[in-house]
């Protein structure tokens, strides 16, 4: 409902302040009205008639084109608002401002330029959102790291969102890029998939080809809870992925032990499922030695840091904001955690920018997707 209201507001604003004042033939204005309303209705139509908001089942090109147009409409609404600010300031300037007012609001060349800018930004955002992520290499210093773990390479993936938009070929290319890094361990911090098991099985199948010396470990995300949760809790392990639900696993590397714990997602509360419990996640784990906590959502990191000992928390969920302009909003919704490194009281947190996009918002501008590679080192 919130998405429908937002799109309706954007459409009404564009109709009122972009199309209505424009000096253009009546037929052009009518066509603009119709196209604007159709674009605004696209998400609601796909959600109602084609499988729901989370995972509409349509050809990938339809989802990309439709949602790309929705984003272009949103950008156009923003540019129209910016134009209104220019108009207001020009009117304050007096008679010359009135002439500027008429030019900025009514001139078709300005309208064409704004439309071209909205379409161009949307096309760029789609290209960035749908491409295979680049590799981001980082060194992670850990206090008293055993010598055997020095140089251990851990790849983090997050928010893959295998869907009707990001299908098997995309996942194969992503897996190939990860395997080319020869990681010691791969971790996936939630939101692997959107859709039912029987529909998405082929699209997640490439994940079974992920190769790492110590295998693949994952935790659930909020999107796993939306559709066929129990089915995915069985399917994901069948791909050779160790799924941690408030539990831990010891990784033996060159004679040293790294403990990896994983918690469930807070979204479990809405469905009466097991809530995230970091204490349970490390119950019975070795008291000494490095620990990594996997948690899809970063917002409870400070609470987890106070509850149990670990050296590093890896999270995702935020997609890094996807748009540089959304950073502040995403920060408000996620306890000020958006992307990159954060210092907790006792540990460090890394928030992954995501390795994919949700098909309802498949654009990225200024916030690229990533394959994060962490090389462990001893803190000096």
């Amino acid at each position: 409902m919130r998405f429908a209201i937002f799109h309706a507001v954007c459409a009404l604003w564009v109709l009122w302040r972009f199309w209505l004042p424009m000096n253009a033939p009546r037929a052009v204005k009518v066509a603009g009205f119709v196209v604007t309303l159709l674009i605004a209705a696209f998400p609601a139509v796909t959600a109602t008639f084609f499988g729901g908001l989370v995972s509409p089942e349509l050809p990938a090109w339809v989802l990309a084109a439709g949602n790309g147009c929705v984003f272009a409409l949103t950008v156009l609404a923003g540019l129209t608002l910016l134009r209104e600010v220019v108009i207001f300031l020009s009117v304050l300037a007096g008679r010359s401002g009135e002439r500027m007012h008429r030019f900025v609001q009514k001139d078709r060349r300005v309208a064409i330029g704004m439309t071209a800018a909205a379409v161009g930004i949307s096309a760029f955002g789609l290209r960035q959102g749908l491409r295979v992520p680049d590799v981001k290499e980082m060194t992670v210093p850990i206090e008293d790291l055993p010598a055997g773990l020095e140089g251990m390479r851990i790849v983090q993936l997050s928010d893959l969102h295998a869907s009707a938009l990001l299908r098997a070929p995309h996942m194969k290319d992503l897996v190939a890029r990860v395997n080319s890094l020869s990681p010691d361990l791969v971790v996936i911090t939630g939101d692997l998939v959107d859709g039912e098991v029987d529909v998405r099985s082929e699209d997640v199948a490439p994940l079974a080809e992920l190769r790492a010396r110590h295998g693949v470990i994952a935790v659930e995300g909020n999107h796993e809870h939306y559709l066929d949760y129990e089915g995915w809790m069985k399917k994901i392990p069948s791909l050779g992925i160790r799924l941690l639900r408030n539990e831990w696993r010891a990784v033996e590397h060159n004679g040293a032990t790294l403990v990896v714990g994983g918690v469930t997602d807070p979204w479990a509360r809405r469905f009466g499922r097991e809530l995230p419990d970091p204490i349970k996640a490390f119950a019975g784990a070795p008291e000494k030695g490095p620990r990594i906590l996997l948690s899809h959502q970063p917002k409870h990191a400070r609470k987890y840091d106070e509850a149990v000992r670990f050296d590093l928390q890896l999270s995702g969920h935020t997609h890094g904001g996807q748009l540089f302009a959304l950073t502040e909003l995403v920060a408000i919704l996620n306890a000020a955690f958006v992307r990159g490194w954060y210092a907790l009281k006792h540990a460090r947190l890394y928030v992954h920018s995501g390795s994919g996009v949700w098909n309802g918002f498949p654009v990225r501008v200024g916030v690229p997707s990533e394959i994060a590679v962490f090389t462990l080192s001893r803190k000096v």
Side-chain angles (χ1 to χ4, degrees):
M1 180 60 72
R2 287 174 294 178
F3 289 103
I5 293 173
F6 174 76
H7 295 141
V9 169
C10 286
L12 291 174
W13 175 254
V14 168
L15 294 176
W16 178 42
R17 302 308 297 167
F18 181 81
W19 286 111
L20 201 58
M22 189 190 308
N23 283 329
R26 183 181 181 86
V28 172
K29 287 190 175 184
V30 170
F33 270 57
V34 172
V35 170
T36 298
L37 292 174
L38 288 175
I39 290 173
F42 178 80
V45 170
T46 57
T48 303
F49 299 105
F50 296 97
L53 182 66
V54 174
S55 182
E57 297 303 327
L58 287 166
W61 70 268
V62 174
L63 291 172
N67 286 307
C69 287
V70 172
F71 180 63
L73 175 63
T74 304
V75 174
L76 183 59
L79 292 175
T80 303
L81 178 60
L82 180 62
R83 185 180 69 177
E84 292 298 305
V85 174
V86 173
I87 290 172
F88 176 73
L89 294 176
S90 67
V91 170
L92 290 180
R95 293 183 59 186
S96 61
E98 292 177 7
R99 290 194 296 271
M100 176 64 75
H101 177 190
R102 288 194 296 270
F103 170 73
V104 170
Q105 191 175 51
K106 298 178 180 297
D107 193 276
R108 279 175 285 181
R109 291 170 295 180
V110 175
I112 291 171
M114 291 170 61
T115 303
V119 172
I121 292 171
S122 180
F124 173 80
L126 270 176
R127 184 176 181 276
Q128 292 298 105
L130 300 181
R131 69 186 182 89
V132 176
D134 290 331
V135 175
K136 184 177 180 180
E137 296 262 7
M138 290 161 282
T139 299
V140 183
I142 295 179
E143 194 102 31
D144 299 324
L145 185 75
L149 297 179
E150 185 83 32
M152 183 179 183
R153 286 165 57 82
I154 301 173
V155 166
Q156 181 193 7
L157 302 175
S158 193
D159 303 277
L160 301 174
H161 291 287
S163 64
L165 181 64
L166 298 179
R167 308 208 64 161
H170 177 86
M171 294 299 159
K172 287 180 181 177
D173 291 342
L174 175 66
V175 167
R177 183 160 294 181
V178 172
N179 288 346
S180 71
L181 301 171
S182 301
D184 295 306
L185 177 68
V186 173
V187 299
I188 308 175
T189 46
D191 282 5
L192 284 76
V193 64
D194 287 321
E196 304 277 352
V197 170
D198 57 349
V199 176
R200 288 277 83 80
S201 288
E202 182 179 335
D203 298 320
V204 299
L207 298 181
E209 300 303 316
L210 282 169
R211 295 289 178 263
R213 179 176 174 182
H214 303 297
V216 184
I217 300 175
V219 292
E220 66 187 45
N222 55 302
H223 276 243
E224 273 72 56
H225 285 271
Y226 295 153
L227 292 170
D228 202 4
Y229 176 80
E230 297 302 333
W232 285 115
M233 294 304 100
K234 296 176 182 177
K235 179 64 177 180
I236 292 172
S238 76
L239 299 172
I241 299 172
R242 175 68 181 270
L243 190 61
L244 299 181
R245 302 167 69 188
N246 291 331
E247 53 192 324
W248 60 276
R249 178 185 175 187
V251 178
E252 303 294 334
H253 182 79
N254 295 339
T257 302
L258 172 68
V259 173
V260 180
V263 294
T264 56
D265 189 78
W267 200 262
R269 184 183 299 277
R270 299 201 179 191
F271 299 92
R273 296 168 182 150
E274 185 176 0
L275 298 178
D277 186 344
I279 296 176
K280 182 180 177 182
F282 287 109
E287 290 297 325
K288 295 183 178 181
R291 293 178 171 186
I292 294 177
L293 175 65
L294 307 181
S295 172
H296 175 63
Q297 298 195 39
K299 65 173 64 175
H300 299 302
R302 294 186 182 93
K303 182 174 69 173
Y304 297 164
D305 182 50
E306 293 287 350
V308 68
R309 183 187 70 80
F310 56 86
D311 300 280
L312 173 66
Q313 177 175 321
L314 301 179
S315 295
H317 181 63
T318 67
H319 293 209
Q322 287 193 209
L323 309 177
F324 65 89
L326 294 181
T327 296
E328 293 304 318
L329 174 61
V330 174
I332 292 171
L333 297 174
N334 292 277
F337 301 128
V338 182
R339 58 181 176 269
W341 289 103
Y342 298 89
L344 305 176
K345 186 175 181 180
H346 305 103
R348 298 179 74 196
L349 164 68
Y350 184 79
V351 182
H352 197 285
S353 290
S355 305
V357 287
W358 170 52
N359 62 66
F361 190 56
V363 294
R364 288 181 177 271
V365 178
V367 184
S369 55
E370 66 183 31
I371 297 170
V373 184
F374 305 102
T375 300
L376 304 187
S377 68
R378 188 180 181 88
K379 188 175 183 179
V380 295

